[in-house]
Amino acid sequence: MSAPLPENPRIAIVGSGALGCYYGARLAKAGNDVHFLVRSGRAAVMARGIRLKTPTGRIHVKKVAAYGTAGEIGPCDLIIVSVKATANDALAKILPPLMGANTLVLTLQNGLGVEEPVANVVGAAHVLGAICFVGCTRTAPGVVQCSFPGLVMIGEFGRPVQARTRELAQLFEKAGVKCEAHDNLEEMRWKKLVWNVPFNGLAIAAGGVTTDIIMADEGLRTLARRLMEEIVEAAAKLGHAIPRTFMDLQFERTAKLERYSPSSLIDYHEGREIELEEIWGEPVRRAKTVGVPVPRLEMLYWLIKRLLAARKAVKKAR
Amino acid sequence: MSAPLPENPRIAIVGSGALGCYYGARLAKAGNDVHFLVRSGRAAVMARGIRLKTPTGRIHVKKVAAYGTAGEIGPCDLIIVSVKATANDALAKILPPLMGANTLVLTLQNGLGVEEPVANVVGAAHVLGAICFVGCTRTAPGVVQCSFPGLVMIGEFGRPVQARTRELAQLFEKAGVKCEAHDNLEEMRWKKLVWNVPFNGLAIAAGGVTTDIIMADEGLRTLARRLMEEIVEAAAKLGHAIPRTFMDLQFERTAKLERYSPSSLIDYHEGREIELEEIWGEPVRRAKTVGVPVPRLEMLYWLIKRLLAARKAVKKAR
């Protein structure tokens, strides 16, 4: 049995990108005791707070508790990890000062294998994961534009929902964030990949294209479907049954997005890190452990890996 | 029985790119009666002739019989088709005025399915194909830089070597072009694809990379091997046994090329047409007719197709 989440939990937000600011500010605005670990732009956040522009109005958290190190924050009841998976090496230093005996660590990261690095630092029993269906962009330090508030799905790492999982979902709900607790985090992650692998991947590998182009190009659309099938087959062999209709649903939803730039494409164009291993590399490796051939997924992984290496080389040369 | 090639054949060269100029000038320099169909740069060719720079010296054909239409040339004994396969629609108008009862039509085009469009115009009995292992670049109208004279392998379309095939090989040999007549043209074409599909393809799809980068990148090198295996398997099912050692040989040779730009990559960068269907599309379709799965080849085809479409759109917008 896990300990309950305290009535007024002390919360740390690790990472002050779009998601960290958005959920952290929502939680703070709802009266929670929120502490932000802010690496870049801290002065701006301390001076002007965090501002959210959402479809239903503006939210301004004027006084933000922003810190430069985890040691200044100290132990918390809940840690929300919203740095990118590509920054996970830093967690070994950041997380320990924030931990207490019953601290929950919720990672918002994308892809597969994102709970493991957190578990390696704090112990698996503390770890939960979230899948965020949300449209948020950080336009300046502490300023976030939210086009689509969406939904957060949370789950325990390798365990079904606990009492604390529901309490955590309640905490989000009270802060105005739609949140569902699910029993099978791993399966949710595979389901998210059904869209992310083809659409984020082909957006980059096909020369920087938006979803409308993938949908209109017969070859790319078929390829997106084949990639989905590889993901679904690998997931099935790993015990996660994803119905084929779920794939159809992805295409229906994507058609409605019209000219949408997947987040990885935006990151790619803006020279930011991309979760190469979590979205493409780790699924390939897991499929191999159960002998499911994923030739297209692997090819996509290798092509994107090369494209990112080339971008890095160009950056270095500048 | 096919008619022999006349002692002093009348020769038409259709297309005045690098290959047309190179072989045409070699044949003319050897004393043959060569007539060039030249669409662009005809004035320059008529004024200054054709100049070849080769590793063993310079060749200058001062007086070149250059024409603007096939009708002005009239019937020939040998027609060498050296326009790109992407220009094949024009052959229906170009070839008929050049044909006689026993005319041989030799296409130098790359990839699969290049004899068929010629055969559709002139009849299959007249058609031969050549695979040119040569390094030639046209630097100006009538000016060709040859870095590697290489070898021409010729064969009959759907037939084994005939007397005339050997006579044609002799004609090339006498003009200083190493030439071999082979029984199985189709098989030679598949063998050429074993290199062309992965290296020309990945050079484009992986963001514009030279062969050394493909060789040094573990993912791309493995992918090149997998693409070769798909080609070899499809070829085998179609009756063309290519030994696996032939794949090893490709990697050994490519390692020696060091920093080499495959011709399709050069064409891609310079905005020229690329034999998308002949190198990638047709092998996919033929593999499907015999039920051999070629997932990576098909993916490569679709990605390059999209990249070319994007390039076309950019060109149009300019």
Side-chain angles (χ1 to χ4, degrees):
Chain A
M1 283 294 294
S2 56
L5 191 65
E7 195 70 29
N8 291 303
R10 196 160 192 266
I11 303 173
I13 307 285
V14 173
S16 57
L19 293 194
C21 282
Y22 180 74
Y23 295 118
R26 284 265 187 200
L27 288 165
K29 199 72 187 176
N32 290 289
D33 180 21
V34 185
H35 305 264
F36 292 81
L37 181 65
V38 183
R39 288 292 166 115
S40 71
R42 190 160 68 254
V45 170
M46 291 180 85
R48 296 187 290 276
I50 296 177
R51 290 163 193 273
L52 310 181
K53 293 175 199 167
T54 84
T56 52
R58 286 161 191 262
I59 291 168
H60 186 190
V61 179
K62 284 175 193 160
K63 277 196 74 74
V64 171
Y67 306 79
T69 65
E72 296 164 65
I73 300 176
C76 289
D77 302 301
L78 169 64
I79 305 169
I80 295 179
V81 177
S82 64
V83 292
K84 268 212 176 162
T86 48
N88 273 352
D89 286 347
L91 295 181
K93 282 198 171 175
I94 293 171
L95 295 180
L98 302 173
M99 293 299 295
N102 299 313
T103 303
L104 303 188
V105 187
L106 177 72
T107 174
L108 308 186
Q109 296 173 349
N110 238 327
L112 285 186
V114 298
E115 285 83 13
E116 285 80 351
V118 179
N120 287 342
V121 177
V122 303
H126 295 268
V127 180
L128 294 88
I131 296 170
C132 307
F133 298 89
V134 63
C136 275
T137 313
R138 195 185 84 145
T139 55
V143 183
V144 173
Q145 178 89 44
C146 175
S147 57
F148 166 64
L151 162 72
V152 175
M153 290 161 75
I154 63 173
E156 295 274 341
F157 176 46
R159 296 168 298 272
V161 164
Q162 316 279 302
R164 71 180 190 184
T165 329
R166 292 212 178 80
E167 290 156 10
L168 180 55
Q170 274 302 308
L171 185 77
F172 274 108
E173 287 276 346
K174 280 182 194 159
V177 176
K178 206 164 143 44
C179 185
E180 295 173 357
H182 283 261
D183 269 330
N184 197 330
L185 175 61
E186 198 69 8
E187 185 164 303
M188 288 192 294
R189 293 214 172 275
W190 278 98
K191 285 177 96 167
K192 182 101 193 262
L193 289 177
V194 171
W195 195 89
N196 273 348
V197 160
F199 285 100
N200 279 274
L202 294 177
I204 295 173
V209 295
T210 43
T211 54
D212 55 324
I213 289 175
I214 298 172
M215 293 294 283
D217 183 305
E218 199 192 327
L220 293 188
R221 198 177 62 244
T222 308
L223 183 50
R225 181 82 191 191
R226 298 279 167 276
L227 284 162
M228 284 185 188
E229 287 164 354
E230 291 183 2
I231 290 286
V232 166
E233 208 183 320
K237 200 72 175 269
L238 285 158
H240 310 301
I242 302 173
R244 293 187 70 85
T245 50
F246 185 76
M247 294 190 273
D248 303 330
L249 187 66
Q250 304 309 306
F251 282 102
E252 285 163 30
R253 284 187 179 161
T254 308
K256 285 181 196 144
L257 292 178
E258 294 180 6
R259 192 176 168 168
Y260 179 74
S261 288
S263 60
S264 298
L265 179 63
I266 298 174
D267 290 342
Y268 179 70
H269 280 153
E270 300 195 354
R272 288 195 296 259
E273 294 283 345
I274 285 165
E275 299 102 326
L276 172 71
E277 297 304 330
E278 292 74 18
I279 300 179
W280 298 280
E282 190 62 19
V284 168
R285 290 186 285 271
R286 296 202 183 180
K288 290 200 168 180
T289 64
V290 289
V292 172
V294 287
R296 299 170 189 86
L297 170 57
E298 188 176 55
M299 179 163 170
L300 188 58
Y301 167 55
W302 283 333
L303 287 174
I304 297 173
K305 191 171 185 176
R306 175 65 222 159
L307 292 169
L308 295 179
R311 196 187 59 167
K312 217 165 211 169
V314 168
K315 259 172 127 179
K316 240 183 182 169
R318 270 179 191 159
Chain B
M1 285 294 294
S2 57
L5 191 65
E7 196 70 30
N8 291 302
R10 195 160 193 267
I11 303 172
I13 308 286
V14 173
S16 58
L19 294 194
C21 283
Y22 180 74
Y23 295 118
R26 285 264 188 202
L27 289 165
K29 198 71 185 176
N32 290 290
D33 180 22
V34 184
H35 305 264
F36 292 81
L37 181 65
V38 182
R39 287 294 165 115
S40 70
R42 191 161 66 254
V45 169
M46 292 181 85
R48 296 187 289 277
I50 296 177
R51 290 164 195 271
L52 311 181
K53 292 175 200 169
T54 84
T56 52
R58 286 161 189 261
I59 291 169
H60 186 191
V61 178
K62 284 175 193 161
K63 277 198 71 81
V64 170
Y67 306 79
T69 65
E72 297 165 65
I73 299 177
C76 290
D77 302 300
L78 170 64
I79 305 169
I80 295 178
V81 177
S82 63
V83 292
K84 269 214 175 161
T86 48
N88 273 351
D89 286 350
L91 295 181
K93 282 199 170 172
I94 292 171
L95 294 180
L98 302 172
M99 293 300 294
N102 298 314
T103 302
L104 302 189
V105 187
L106 177 71
T107 173
L108 307 188
Q109 294 172 350
N110 237 327
L112 285 186
V114 297
E115 285 83 12
E116 286 80 350
V118 179
N120 287 341
V121 177
V122 303
H126 294 267
V127 180
L128 295 88
I131 296 171
C132 307
F133 298 89
V134 64
C136 276
T137 313
R138 195 185 86 146
T139 54
V143 183
V144 173
Q145 179 89 42
C146 175
S147 56
F148 166 65
L151 163 73
V152 175
M153 289 160 75
I154 63 173
E156 295 274 342
F157 177 47
R159 295 170 299 273
V161 164
Q162 316 278 305
R164 69 181 191 184
T165 328
R166 293 210 179 81
E167 291 156 9
L168 180 55
Q170 274 302 310
L171 185 76
F172 274 108
E173 287 276 347
K174 280 183 196 158
V177 176
K178 205 164 144 45
C179 185
E180 295 172 356
H182 282 261
D183 270 330
N184 196 329
L185 175 62
E186 198 69 7
E187 187 165 302
M188 289 192 293
R189 293 214 171 275
W190 277 98
K191 284 178 96 167
K192 182 102 193 262
L193 289 177
V194 171
W195 195 90
N196 273 347
V197 160
F199 284 99
N200 280 275
L202 294 177
I204 295 174
V209 294
T210 42
T211 54
D212 55 324
I213 289 175
I214 298 172
M215 292 295 281
D217 183 304
E218 198 192 327
L220 294 188
R221 198 178 61 243
T222 308
L223 184 50
R225 180 84 192 193
R226 299 278 166 279
L227 285 161
M228 284 184 188
E229 287 165 354
E230 291 184 3
I231 290 287
V232 167
E233 208 183 320
K237 200 71 174 267
L238 286 158
H240 311 302
I242 301 173
R244 294 186 70 84
T245 50
F246 186 76
M247 292 191 273
D248 303 329
L249 186 66
Q250 305 309 306
F251 281 103
E252 285 162 32
R253 284 187 180 159
T254 308
K256 286 182 196 143
L257 291 178
E258 294 178 8
R259 193 175 168 169
Y260 179 76
S261 288
S263 60
S264 297
L265 179 62
I266 298 174
D267 290 342
Y268 180 70
H269 281 152
E270 301 195 353
R272 288 196 296 259
E273 294 282 344
I274 285 166
E275 299 102 327
L276 172 72
E277 296 305 331
E278 292 74 18
I279 299 180
W280 298 279
E282 189 63 19
V284 169
R285 291 186 286 272
R286 295 202 184 180
K288 289 201 168 179
T289 63
V290 288
V292 172
V294 287
R296 298 170 189 86
L297 169 58
E298 187 176 56
M299 179 162 169
L300 188 58
Y301 167 56
W302 284 333
L303 287 174
I304 297 173
K305 191 172 185 174
R306 175 65 222 160
L307 292 169
L308 294 179
R311 196 186 60 166
K312 217 167 211 168
V314 168
K315 257 171 128 178
K316 239 183 182 167
R318 271 179 191 161

